[in-house]
Amino acid sequence: MTGVQRAVALAFGLLVAATFAAFFVAQNLKSGPSILQQVGVYPVVSPNGDGRKDGARISFKTRETDDVRIDVLDDAGDEVATIFEDRIGRYTPTQVRWDAKVDGEPVPDGRYRYRVTLRTQGRSVVVPKSFVVDTEPPSPRVVGIGPVQSTRPQPELLPNPDGHPARVVFDAPGTNVKIRLFKTGPGPVRPVMEAVDLPEGATSWAWDGTVGGRRVSPGTYLVVVESRDIAGNVGTSVPLDRRGLPRAEFASGFPGRGGITVRYLGVQPPVEPTRAGERGVFGVDARQERYTWNLRKVGEPEVRKRGSGTRAQLGIAAPEGEGGVFLLEVRTRTRSVRVPWVVRPQTPIIGTTSDRRGVLVVLAMGTWQGLNPVDDDGDGLADTLERGLPVRLQRVLVGDGTGLPIGFAEREAPLLAHLARTGRRFDVTTDVALAAGRGPRPADGYRGVVLPGDTRWLAPTAARRLRSFVRDGGVLATFGVDSLRREVRLTPRLRLIEPTAPAEADLFGARAAPLSRGPVTLTEIVDGLDLFDGTPGAFEAGERFEVTTGIGPDARRLSAAVTPAGRPVILGTRFGSRGGRLLRIGLPTLPSRLSSDPDLAQLVRNAWILLSR
């Protein structure tokens, strides 16, 4: 054998010997006592700051005193963080807690392990027991509410005429299932009862519309299902804010179908004006109870018509001859509701004399329904234009809780009553009819148009008609505030969709500040329109007032009453080149003060002269 061959043989023999030695050493390490004793690993961690299972823990003892380091490894074996470095005595019980964060941020969800290194011995071990970081809450959801079954999304209505409760069917992965109940409207969102704990495996819950044995108030209610996963994460069927109240983003409803509407009596008026003498049809939901009804004209105490019924549709012939706004009141044994009914006169009030022409009053049906807190689709959130949601025009008027549109009793009703009391004649329509091209239009020969209340949303077609009317020489008086700054689209199926945010300038280019608080005295500084004729030229603004901060590039100021700071609140301007005029009465409390303040009554009289001559 040559020298080279002997060297190769020797190297091979050494390699074999080393391999066997390593094998026997490894077998000795496996069969010998572990370097760690009584190892405990908490299996699930949820570092979301809710106080439940927020930290990862490992507990152990070492067989020998040593300098110990603990690292966390991810599922791929890569080091994530070093969480402990210290000297530990022999068989000293040790527990290490880690907040599952790196540089203050939670580590990604996933599976992790601990690696324990004993530096003196030069040994390390990856603990076989892993743990899971889980911050994702479960996703319970309300599948539906019965017993009424519908092919389209809509809320369940209580009380049920058959006496059945509303049965909420849900899917709630996890444990500790609870039911929370909130009232979402009218008014602020609020809880209405303590959370209800349900048995494990429950998939439904029944509610009869009572809390503590008493019937709840009418409105929109939301059922929220809550459950908890093994990591302690709590999930809810609807997102809750820090106060524990349901949260919805603008232009978005609640997920699921957790809505229950409690309604004891509701009335749906006709969407468009009814001609005097013709039949108007109202929807009446009295929960199958018998009801009585009566009809009055706004501003008049006497009853024009009355009757009773049980049907869901109530047909009434509008009074002959005259038009205006009537109030239909419907009563059951325990409830009453009033809704407005817009009735056009049989003969349009146009060209009645050689020197006076008709005035058209346009009521803001779009705003009435846009603020009407009714849940159309059963998600538990009232659908309003204010929330950026589409609304149906053909629905019950909840309004301020009595059935009247929000603000109607303080704005439109007293102004219309004053006009009727002082013998003012006018034609009447709604912004919805104006947008749809049905009924009277400003260009049909009217000299003036009155917007008696807040007109927050206006369909583009109606907006163009009003703007053209004034630009062509007409007179427009607005008694509302925060008006003519938003658009909404009217669909052929009578839905209002795609409401816009308020623009900086209104339909005529004017700008207004948010409502200010009084009391202040408004003083006339200029009156080219004789708007303040017969008054002392001073008016009390009342509790609230709206300041016009800019009249727009196409307008010229003719009359103005201003605050002590010189800011106009009552304003008359010329708009366009054909002599059109705009009257802005930025006093939302004016209508309710007309019977007690003769100066304001004279202001309205002067405005009417400008509108009708």
Side-chain angles (χ1 to χ4, degrees), residues 107 159 417 447:
V107 296
R447 176 57 180 165

Side-chain angles (χ1 to χ4, degrees), residues 1 113 160 395 434 443 475 553 560 586:
M1 180 180 293
R113 285 182 169 79
N160 189 297
R395 59 183 187 169
L434 186 60
V475 182

Side-chain angles (χ1 to χ4, degrees), residues 260-382:
I260 297 175
T261 293
V262 175
R263 180 188 299 154
Y264 304 108
L265 175 63
V267 179
Q268 175 186 316
V271 172
E272 296 186 2
T274 306
R275 177 79 71 176
E278 296 183 357
R279 187 170 179 266
V281 179
F282 297 79
V284 179
D285 181 5
R287 304 282 81 198
Q288 296 185 6
E289 283 192 47
R290 186 170 186 81
Y291 59 83
T292 61
W293 60 268
N294 63 71
L295 186 69
R296 291 181 172 89
K297 191 173 184 180
V298 169
E300 296 182 359
E302 62 270 15
V303 173
R304 299 291 189 92
K305 294 189 175 188
R306 65 176 76 244
S308 63
T310 57
R311 293 183 178 181
Q313 281 196 340
L314 172 63
I316 304 174
E320 295 281 347
E322 62 184 311
V325 179
F326 291 79
L327 293 180
L328 174 70
E329 182 177 32
V330 178
R331 288 181 173 272
T332 62
R333 289 181 299 107
T334 58
R335 308 279 170 170
S336 67
V337 166
R338 292 184 300 164
V339 296
W341 184 16
V342 182
V343 177
R344 294 184 56 203
Q346 282 179 311
T347 303
I349 311 299
I350 301 177
T352 55
T353 67
S354 59
D355 61 341
R356 290 181 180 271
R357 301 171 70 188
V359 175
L360 177 64
V361 172
V362 180
L363 296 161
M365 177 69 74
T367 299
W368 292 354
Q369 285 289 8
L371 297 175
N372 188 24
V374 174
D375 178 13
D376 286 335
D377 54 11
D379 66 348
L381 182 67

Side-chain angles (χ1 to χ4, degrees), residues 198 214 286 415 427 547 581:
L198 298 185
R214 302 182 64 180
L415 180 59
D427 207 339
V547 169
R581 281 160 288 176

